[in-house]
Amino acid sequence: MLKHLELLVCCWLLSFAAQATSVMFVSPSTPDDPFFSRVELFTRLAAQNLGMELTVVYGDAHRIYQHAELEKRLASDQPDYLLVQVYSGSGKALFELLKRYPKVSVISLEHLLLNHEAEDVGLPGQRYPNWIAEVAFDNVAASELLSSYLLSACQEYAQAGRPGVVGVNGLHGQEALQRQTGLVEVVDQRPPFFVHQVVNAKWQRPLAFQQTKALLGRYPDTSVIWSASDWMALGVAEAVEPLTRKGLTYCIGGFDWIPEIVDAIKSGQVTASVGGHFMIGAWALVMAYDHLHGRLPAYVKSGEAIFDMHLMHKDNIKELAPLLDPKAWQTVDFRSYSLFKNPGLSRYSFVLPGS
């Protein structure tokens, strides 16, 4: 009788393993990308906690390569859920590809579609039934948050004759455009500050270093240097180091909350960073979990922001920096964010502890 019971338990466990929910995360970059490697890491933590099987496909930082790689993988492996950041300019083609696999439920990460693309593909579920949700945050609002802090931090230098602002952006695309819009809108409302120039450093730290040196040579009255990523902000900080040794102060900020930015803020090399979106894949998995249990809310199809970004600076870094350590999340039950597990809630509260 005992052996029969053991056999039943063994068969049940094997059946459960075979039925585990499969998820494919499409990283738009490379395995060693300073930001998306972190997104992948925390997505893996959430998948393990939620009992999901996660595989990763890399887009190699190029929309054509990502499309080709995804097409190849889907031809042989169709997961239950697909998490993908849609490159600006590739939206229509990508969703037409995914339409061929109606049993794959798609959750998009960020809202990076160009205006004409948004018209072509609509909102989740409108024209592509297997596109079930979008996990988005407001890039413009996040940039406004960062920009306002940088201007306040450098107010005295602007009044002392250095009101110039320069920007180091990423690649041309909706993400870079949204972040630059936030910068310009804030600066326009804060005289005597004004924007000299915003350049594109293609998310590359060495290029940001070179471009910053050129910008400061061209615009010596600059005090604020805005960057669209922390990785580039570190290149900016390197570029201004010889000038800071001569007594000049710069207010430098970026996006992403990569681990290296913590020491840079503590030392004063970088003034602030806006982030929290390293959890975007983990939040998407919570939504997949709820969809699996019939509790995905309708508003995740509306195009509105699902979570907010937060600002890290010298006054709150002790509270926020520990959240970048994966160990802080290993004991977190991601089901505590689930609407299925919290039936009294109707909206997600994807809030980082202490933020």
Side-chain angles (χ1 to χ4, degrees):
M1 181 69 180
L2 182 60
K3 288 184 177 180
H4 180 65
L5 180 60
E6 289 175 346
L7 181 61
L8 286 175
V9 170
C10 180
C11 291
W12 178 81
L13 290 173
L14 288 173
S15 174
F16 176 79
Q19 295 175 10
T21 303
S22 59
V23 180
M24 183 180 291
F25 168 53
V26 185
S27 170
S29 192
T30 57
D32 59 351
D33 181 279
F35 175 66
F36 280 103
S37 63
R38 304 288 294 175
V39 175
E40 177 186 337
L41 173 61
F42 286 95
T43 305
R44 287 188 183 280
L45 283 176
Q48 183 179 7
N49 179 257
L50 293 169
M52 297 177 171
E53 295 181 352
L54 186 74
T55 59
V56 182
V57 175
Y58 299 101
D60 205 30
H62 197 288
R63 64 186 179 91
I64 296 176
Y65 180 88
Q66 175 173 295
H67 187 99
E69 188 65 17
L70 185 55
E71 187 171 25
K72 181 174 67 176
R73 291 292 291 271
L74 287 175
S76 59
D77 178 21
Q78 294 91 52
D80 297 312
Y81 292 92
L82 180 78
L83 315 182
V84 59
Q85 186 186 80
V86 185
Y87 270 102
S88 299
S90 65
K92 179 72 172 179
L94 177 64
F95 284 111
E96 285 296 316
L97 167 63
L98 299 177
K99 184 180 179 180
R100 289 156 40 189
Y101 302 95
K103 293 184 179 180
V104 178
S105 296
V106 179
I107 301 178
S108 55
L109 311 178
E110 292 196 62
H111 185 77
L112 302 179
L113 296 170
L114 301 173
N115 291 339
H116 73 276
E117 290 183 291
E119 294 176 2
D120 286 341
V121 304
L123 293 171
Q126 284 185 337
R127 297 173 190 171
Y128 299 95
N130 60 332
W131 181 17
I132 63 169
E134 182 171 71
V135 190
F137 55 90
D138 192 332
N139 263 307
V140 176
S143 185
E144 290 175 342
L145 182 66
L146 174 65
S147 302
S148 294
Y149 187 87
L150 295 178
L151 297 189
S152 295
C154 258
Q155 184 68 42
E156 64 177 291
Y157 307 112
Q159 293 173 342
R162 295 172 57 214
V165 178
V166 296
V168 180
N169 213 336
L171 286 166
H172 293 285
Q174 196 71 343
E175 183 177 35
L177 177 62
Q178 291 167 353
R179 293 182 181 182
Q180 182 171 331
T181 297
L183 167 68
V184 173
E185 288 183 352
V186 166
V187 175
D188 284 349
Q189 298 172 17
R190 293 282 297 273
F193 288 104
F194 63 94
V195 176
H196 278 300
Q197 187 177 1
V198 178
V199 297
N200 291 84
K202 303 178 181 179
W203 310 112
Q204 297 175 15
R205 180 173 176 172
L207 185 54
F209 170 84
Q210 295 169 4
Q211 290 182 333
T212 300
K213 291 180 69 175
L215 286 169
L216 295 181
R218 195 177 304 144
Y219 309 113
D221 66 343
T222 294
S223 61
V224 174
I225 310 175
W226 173 97
S227 175
S229 79
D230 287 342
W231 191 237
M232 293 189 297
L234 293 173
V236 170
E238 287 183 63
V240 305
E241 188 176 345
L243 297 172
T244 59
R245 289 199 298 265
K246 294 180 179 179
L248 291 175
T249 299
Y250 295 90
C251 299
I252 300 168
F255 287 68
D256 294 344
W257 287 7
I258 63 174
E260 294 88 344
I261 210 66
V262 173
D263 287 340
I265 292 176
K266 287 180 178 179
S267 67
Q269 291 176 294
V270 172
T271 309
S273 172
V274 70
H277 54 314
F278 66 94
M279 294 298 297
I280 192 169
W283 301 149
L285 285 185
V286 173
M287 292 164 65
Y289 179 84
D290 282 348
H291 180 264
L292 190 66
H293 292 89
R295 274 288 276 130
L296 189 66
Y299 82 94
V300 298
K301 299 176 182 287
S302 68
E304 68 176 273
I306 303 298
F307 65 94
D308 295 325
M309 300 271 269
H310 302 281
L311 192 69
M312 180 186 290
H313 48 76
K314 60 183 177 62
D315 296 324
N316 66 4
I317 196 164
K318 288 184 179 179
E319 291 76 29
L320 295 183
L323 298 178
L324 305 187
D325 186 349
K327 293 179 183 177
W329 293 88
Q330 287 176 349
T331 58
V332 171
D333 186 354
F334 283 90
R335 287 167 294 190
S336 66
Y337 292 96
S338 161
L339 299 184
F340 170 68
K341 288 294 185 178
N342 298 275
L345 301 178
S346 60
R347 298 179 71 86
Y348 289 111
S349 181
F350 292 143
V351 178
L352 302 178
S355 61

